[in-house]
Amino acid sequence: MTGMLEAADATQAPRRTAPPTWLVVALACAGQFLVVLDVSVVNTALPSMRTGLGLSEQGLQWVVNAYAIAFAGFMLLGGRAGDLYGRKRMFLLGLGLFTLASLGGGLAQDDWQLLLARAVQGLGAAVLAPSTLTILTSAVPEGAARARAIATWTAVGAGGGAVGGLVGGVLVEILSWRWVLLINVPIGMVVLFGAARYLPESRAGDGRRLDLPGAVLVTAGLATVAYGISQTEAEGWTAPATLVPLVAGLAMIGLFLAVEARTTAPLMPLGLLARRSVSSANVSMFLCGSAMFCMWFFMTLYAQNVLGYTPLEAGLALVPSSLAVVVGSKLAPRFMPRLGARNLAALGTVVAAVGFGWQSTMGVDGSYLTAIMFPGVLMMLGAGLTATPLAALATSGAPPQEAGLVSGLVNTSRTMGGSLGLAVMSTIAAARTEGSSGGTARALTEGYALVFRTGAGVLVAGTLLMLLWLPRKISTE
């Protein structure tokens, strides 16, 4: 690892020719793909993990939560560290941690070893993810070229989340659950050496030190809130096990804001939130993520629990949706000059809302085309059209010294929105299913359908918010 970090500084030598932009974009996107893929690929392997390591129901839940909590909690800190200590350095450090933790998790012999590996994976992802977007935006100048690069980053990230279920199903059925983690090792090593050799280093710290009190407060606050959210499915929203960490986490975030208002070198300058493009785009991304992130989870459950698909069949059933999000992301930069970023984001959200509304009509004997494929394509096509303009708006005009922080904020908004949305939607589905008088399949279907109706409502509200709050054009300040 030391050699990798030393190579980061070596790339600053003036004699070295700058790497081609496409290679920088490809390496940044590869890092983002690994981060997002790991959020979803493990879900398919959970039953096999439980059998292999004798995990309890609560332990099984923590296989997912350990990653998500560390990921959400350290994201802002990872973004700021990139600004201060070097984006390439943090990319290598984060990817190295992620790869080593994947190896440790794949070789785990006890449940605690797997949970520890998942937490370290989340920490590595939190350091890596902000750097991927910052490296990309630093390498590509503002304008149409950057919009295309962000679209590629969005498509690759969304594609990683989309194909996770399929990849996980194939690996579990052909090899074993361990390979959903071990597969990251050879890919991570290839990206690691490529990044050490070709990525340019950049930083904008101006000699400032890391705001340690702010870093501790925001990391602990976000992680505690994420922990509280993770408790809702098992304990409910009113249980002390849920309310205490939620209140404590929000209190720490409030204290963090108070500290940032007084410190001379804040981790997150509050003036950044006063920028309309930053605040409006992040709130919009939070709302969209809270609805759209749930789609893969509940579509997979519907396919397996109601329609009787195997895990591999369920993954294959969602392939058109996976392709749709990539297509939407690649079309977005072409439409942005004509429609404007705000209008395109709103249009994409409307398309997704139509898909959510269609999906809410699902039945116990639904056909593949009308109950999975067509509504899924609309949902993910809309997601692809929306994410690119929102990311472009959030990062546009950001001063170089704040670029990593803004990138971390974008990822934090999406991650926290998805985590909170999944917790809320799971509670809604469970309550409706328990209150249904029909058979098991019908009760489950009613719960899933209510989730998609709720998601459609959230997206309609998000569309109105975008039209009223998002700036008309991308800032070039």
Side-chain angles (χ1 to χ4, degrees), residues 359-441:
Q359 189 64 52
S360 70
T361 64
M362 66 176 70
V364 293
D365 54 353
S367 68
Y368 169 66
L369 291 179
T370 58
I372 293 182
M373 179 177 162
F374 290 143
V377 166
L378 284 177
M379 284 186 275
M380 289 299 99
L381 178 64
L385 291 172
T386 299
T388 298
L390 287 181
L393 282 167
T395 57
S396 65
Q401 66 271 21
E402 314 295 351
L405 177 60
V406 173
S407 300
L409 195 58
V410 168
N411 280 288
T412 299
S413 297
R414 180 167 53 185
T415 303
M416 293 300 290
S419 298
L420 179 60
L422 183 57
V424 172
M425 297 300 186
S426 297
T427 303
I428 290 173
R432 182 56 179 267
T433 297
E434 291 173 4
S436 176
S437 58
T440 301

Side-chain angles (χ1 to χ4, degrees), residues 315-332:
L316 289 170
L318 294 175
V319 167
S321 304
S322 306
L323 296 175
V325 72
V326 175
V327 170
S329 300
K330 298 304 289 182
L331 288 176

Side-chain angles (χ1 to χ4, degrees), residues 292-317:
M292 294 177 182
F293 183 81
C294 302
M295 178 268 187
W296 304 111
F297 182 78
F298 287 104
M299 289 285 276
T300 302
L301 290 181
Y302 172 62
Q304 294 186 54
N305 295 340
V306 177
L307 301 183
Y309 290 21
T310 66
L312 180 56
E313 289 171 341
L316 289 170

Side-chain angles (χ1 to χ4, degrees), residues 260-278:
E260 297 306 279
R262 288 176 168 79
T263 186
T264 56
L267 175 69
M268 186 176 74
L270 298 186
L272 191 65
L273 297 178
R275 295 179 63 92
R276 184 180 175 186
S277 59
V278 173

Side-chain angles (χ1 to χ4, degrees), residues 25-175:
V25 172
L27 289 168
C29 288
Q32 179 69 2
F33 179 83
L34 282 174
V35 168
V36 180
L37 176 70
D38 213 70
V39 176
S40 59
V41 72
V42 170
N43 289 335
T44 309
L46 289 176
S48 299
M49 288 179 176
R50 182 176 186 177
T51 302
L53 295 181
L55 288 164
S56 65
E57 189 66 35
Q58 186 176 17
L60 200 64
Q61 183 182 6
W62 276 101
V63 173
V64 177
N65 291 338
Y67 182 91
I69 291 172
F71 188 26
F74 285 90
M75 192 86 73
L76 287 181
L77 180 58
R80 175 51 95 199
D83 289 335
L84 297 181
Y85 306 124
R87 284 73 179 256
K88 176 179 178 177
R89 185 183 295 269
M90 290 301 106
F91 184 99
L92 295 173
L93 177 61
L95 183 56
L97 279 175
F98 183 88
T99 304
L100 287 175
S102 297
L103 177 62
L107 299 177
Q109 300 300 311
D110 293 303
D111 54 357
W112 68 268
Q113 295 173 350
L114 177 60
L115 297 183
L116 177 61
R118 290 289 289 164
V120 177
Q121 268 191 311
L123 173 60
V127 175
L128 170 62
S131 297
T132 64
L133 184 55
T134 311
I135 288 171
L136 184 147
T137 55
S138 298
V140 184
E142 200 104 47
R146 179 179 291 185
R148 290 192 297 270
I150 292 178
T152 302
W153 179 85
T154 302
V156 169
V163 304
L166 175 59
V167 173
V170 171
L171 290 174
V172 171
E173 290 199 12
I174 295 179
L175 299 171

